[in-house]
């Protein structure tokens, strides 16, 4: 406790900024979180039947639910179930108990009747009972079907019970089962909380410092923030873990400056990848900051690659020039041959036209020869004579 008091005093904080416990007072309005809050508020106010809220571990689902509970109006009555590894009758008993309905020693049918009477009574009073089931990814398909049947408790125009299913992304896989089609069709509000972006991660860190009493408690280098984002992957809970150790390390070194080297040392001490991610490979987009910094170490390799690429480009340009020159020579030769053929063809056409004209002239001459009264050709106009006369033989 003394160390903690010194920790807060050194940074001029009123409370610890990076606690792991979900605290709605520290909720950060990222784009994803604001959308989820709006959906939850709308779903409750409009008496939507089923509301589905999912997100990876540590993204802030529980914080959102606690915020909703904290801000609820006096007309909203909430039952929250977080132990989901139970039998159907046990689940129903827990729901009734949370609403203040006596459940001990009663069977499933009796509990359903009691719950139905309770919900009708609350509706008559103008109240809105809401059932929140946390860690819903652990529910079996049979349990989810029993929960769907609870939504049948309704009047002619409104639901008597609103149900919020909260869980990890695996919950969506369970809901995709064929036997849960009717439940899927009754989900009217559906939202998913995404990890923070790089910019949102930075905003999240300073938001929590501000809520803890001093936004300027420490100064992060851009490199340090890149590393926090890279290893946390934008998961708020993991950002809290890293930043808590950062402040502890800064306190030990009596500094308020957070360089990248300090954060790297902390990540190494925590064996962060193996301990918190199980050695899972970091996505390429998340590795970008580290890749940028490691580039100078590979300068020789990069220079060699650039030289090789340049040599390839030069060779291609040379081949392109040779090909262009070769193509021009071939085209010139072909052009000369075409011109020669064209001239020969024209000469041939002219000579042929001359012969044809002469033949036509001589045929007309033959046709104009005088024919005797007997209708026979003159002796000098025998075929042989005609040919001689036609062709001047």
């Amino acid at each position: 406790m003394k160390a903690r008091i010194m920790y807060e005093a050194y940074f001029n904080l009123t409370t610890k900024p990076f606690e792991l416990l979900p605290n709605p007072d520290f909720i950060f309005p990222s784009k994803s979180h604001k959308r989820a809050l709006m959906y939850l508020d709308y779903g409750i106010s409009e008496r939507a039947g089923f509301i589905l809220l999912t997100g990876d571990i540590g993204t802030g689902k529980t914080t959102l639910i606690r915020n909703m509970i904290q801000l609820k109006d006096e007309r909203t009555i909430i039952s929250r179930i977080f132990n989901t590894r139970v039998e159907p009758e046990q689940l129903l008993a827990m729901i009734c108990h949370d609403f203040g309905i006596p459940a001990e020693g009663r069977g499933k049918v009796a509990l359903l009747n009691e719950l139905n009477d309770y919900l009708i009574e609350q509706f008559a009073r103008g109240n809105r009972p809401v059932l929140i089931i946390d860690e819903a990814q652990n529910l079996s398909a049979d349990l989810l079907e029993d929960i769907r049947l609870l939504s049948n408790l309704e009047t002619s125009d409104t639901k008597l019970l609103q149900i919020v299913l909260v869980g990890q992304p695996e919950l969506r896989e369970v809901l995709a089962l064929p036997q849960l089609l009717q439940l899927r069709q009754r989900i009217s509000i559906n939202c998913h909380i995404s990890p923070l972006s790089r910019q949102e991660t930075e905003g999240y860190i300073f938001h929590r410092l501000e809520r803890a009493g001093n936004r300027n408690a420490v100064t992060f280098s851009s490199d340090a923030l890149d590393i926090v984002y890279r290893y946390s992957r934008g998961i708020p809970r993991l950002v809290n873990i890293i930043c808590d150790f950062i402040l502890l390390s800064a306190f030990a070194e009596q500094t308020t400056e957070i360089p990248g080297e300090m954060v790297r040392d902390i990540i190494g001490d925590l064996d962060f990848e193996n301990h918190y991610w199980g050695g899972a490979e970091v996505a390429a987009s998340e590795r970008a900051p580290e890749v940028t910094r490691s580039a100078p170490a590979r300068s020789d390799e990069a220079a060699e690659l650039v030289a090789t690429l340049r040599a390839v480009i030069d060779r291609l340009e040379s081949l392109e020039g040779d090909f262009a020159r070769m193509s021009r020579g071939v085209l010139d030769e072909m052009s000369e041959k075409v011109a020669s053929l064209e001239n020969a063809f024209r000469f041939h056409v002219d000579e042929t036209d001359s012969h044809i004209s002469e033949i036509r002239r001589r045929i007309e001459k033959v046709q104009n020869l005088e024919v005797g009264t007997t209708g026979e050709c003159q002796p000098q106009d025998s075929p042989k004579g005609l040919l001689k006369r036609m062709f001047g033989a």
Side-chain angles (χ1 to χ4, degrees):
M1 180 65 70
K2 183 178 180 181
R4 176 171 176 174
I5 293 173
M6 291 174 62
Y7 172 102
E8 295 171 3
Y10 178 74
F11 292 112
N12 195 27
L13 299 168
T14 57
T15 186
K16 194 175 180 181
F18 298 107
E19 286 277 15
L20 296 184
L21 293 176
N23 187 345
D25 292 335
F26 280 79
I27 192 167
F28 175 69
S30 73
K31 181 180 178 180
S32 181
H33 287 78
K34 283 194 293 187
R35 184 173 61 249
L37 284 170
M38 181 183 67
Y39 284 174
L40 287 171
D41 182 65
Y42 174 81
I44 298 301
S45 62
E46 294 298 316
R47 290 183 179 271
F50 274 94
I51 300 174
L52 176 63
L53 174 64
T54 58
D56 288 314
I57 298 171
T59 50
K61 300 183 297 297
T62 303
T63 303
L64 284 177
I65 293 302
R66 290 189 178 184
N67 180 78
M68 186 184 77
I69 294 173
Q70 180 175 290
L71 299 178
K72 73 179 182 66
D73 59 40
E74 58 183 12
R75 294 288 186 182
T76 303
I77 303 171
I78 291 179
S79 168
R80 184 186 172 202
I81 305 299
F82 51 85
N83 181 9
T84 51
R85 297 186 183 277
V86 292
E87 297 298 322
E89 192 169 321
Q90 292 174 314
L91 180 63
L92 184 57
M94 287 191 297
I95 294 170
C96 289
H97 178 76
D98 225 31
F99 277 130
I101 303 170
E104 291 185 10
R106 302 195 179 192
K108 187 175 181 179
V109 175
L111 288 172
L112 281 172
N113 289 333
E114 289 286 346
L115 179 60
N116 188 52
D117 291 343
Y118 171 82
L119 295 175
I120 292 174
E121 179 185 349
Q122 296 305 316
F123 176 75
R125 293 180 178 180
N127 294 331
R128 291 188 297 269
V130 178
L131 170 62
I132 300 173
I133 302 180
D134 207 348
E135 300 297 334
Q137 76 277 355
N138 296 326
L139 294 171
S140 65
D142 291 338
L143 269 176
L144 284 168
E145 179 61 17
D146 282 348
I147 292 170
R148 180 190 70 80
L149 294 175
L150 293 179
S151 68
N152 289 337
L153 303 175
E154 58 189 3
T155 65
S156 58
D157 59 354
T158 189
K159 295 290 182 182
L160 294 176
L161 178 66
Q162 291 177 265
I163 302 172
V164 182
L165 297 176
V166 183
Q168 297 168 26
E170 302 91 275
L171 174 58
R172 294 179 180 272
E173 298 176 10
V174 178
L175 291 172
L177 294 173
Q179 61 265 40
L180 294 178
L181 175 62
Q182 293 187 66
L183 174 55
R184 289 200 303 277
Q185 292 178 344
R186 295 193 182 197
I187 296 173
S188 53
I189 304 292
N190 188 334
C191 54
H192 180 77
I193 304 175
S194 304
L196 304 174
S197 67
R198 164 62 178 78
Q199 184 178 359
E200 287 175 335
T201 299
E202 181 175 345
Y204 173 84
I205 292 170
F206 289 106
H207 170 80
R208 291 193 71 99
L209 287 170
E210 183 175 8
R211 296 296 294 173
N214 184 10
R215 181 182 180 86
N216 301 313
V218 291
T219 302
F220 285 85
S221 69
S222 179
D223 189 32
L225 290 169
D226 285 343
I227 299 170
V228 171
Y229 173 66
R230 176 179 185 262
Y231 283 94
S232 69
R233 306 187 196 181
I235 302 296
R237 183 182 297 169
L238 299 185
V239 174
N240 286 1
I241 291 172
I242 296 173
C243 288
D244 188 38
F245 276 94
I246 287 174
L247 291 185
L248 184 60
S249 180
F251 172 64
E253 297 182 18
Q254 294 292 287
T255 182
T256 59
E257 300 293 326
I258 311 299
E261 197 59 39
M262 177 189 289
V263 183
R264 286 194 189 92
D265 290 342
I266 290 170
I267 294 296
D269 292 340
L270 293 175
D271 191 19
F272 206 86
E273 279 297 300
N274 289 321
H275 189 73
Y276 293 99
W277 289 110
E281 185 179 354
V282 182
S285 60
E286 296 160 348
R287 290 198 304 267
E290 285 294 309
V291 171
T292 302
R293 285 189 292 275
S294 63
R298 296 175 175 265
S299 58
D300 293 339
E301 204 174 304
E304 184 179 352
L305 178 59
V306 169
T308 302
L309 290 173
R310 188 172 297 280
V312 171
I313 292 171
D314 291 341
R315 179 57 179 158
L316 287 173
E317 290 176 348
S318 175
L319 289 173
E320 185 179 21
D322 292 342
F323 179 77
R325 286 190 294 274
M326 179 183 69
S327 298
R328 283 195 296 271
V330 171
L331 287 173
D332 291 342
E333 184 179 351
M334 290 181 64
S335 179
E336 291 176 1
K337 289 184 176 180
V338 168
S340 176
L341 288 171
E342 184 179 11
N343 292 333
F345 179 76
R346 285 177 179 173
F347 174 79
H348 179 71
V349 168
D350 292 340
E351 189 177 16
T352 302
D353 287 343
S354 177
H355 282 298
I356 290 174
S357 297
E358 178 64 16
I359 290 172
R360 283 178 178 172
R361 186 183 64 77
R362 296 199 177 198
I363 289 174
E364 288 173 359
K365 183 178 178 180
V366 170
Q367 288 175 342
N368 292 329
L369 291 176
E370 293 182 357
V371 180
T373 55
T374 60
E376 296 178 355
C377 294
Q378 297 297 323
Q380 67 271 28
D381 291 328
S382 64
K384 186 175 180 179
L386 285 174
L387 289 174
K388 286 182 177 181
R389 292 176 61 189
M390 286 174 61
F391 297 101

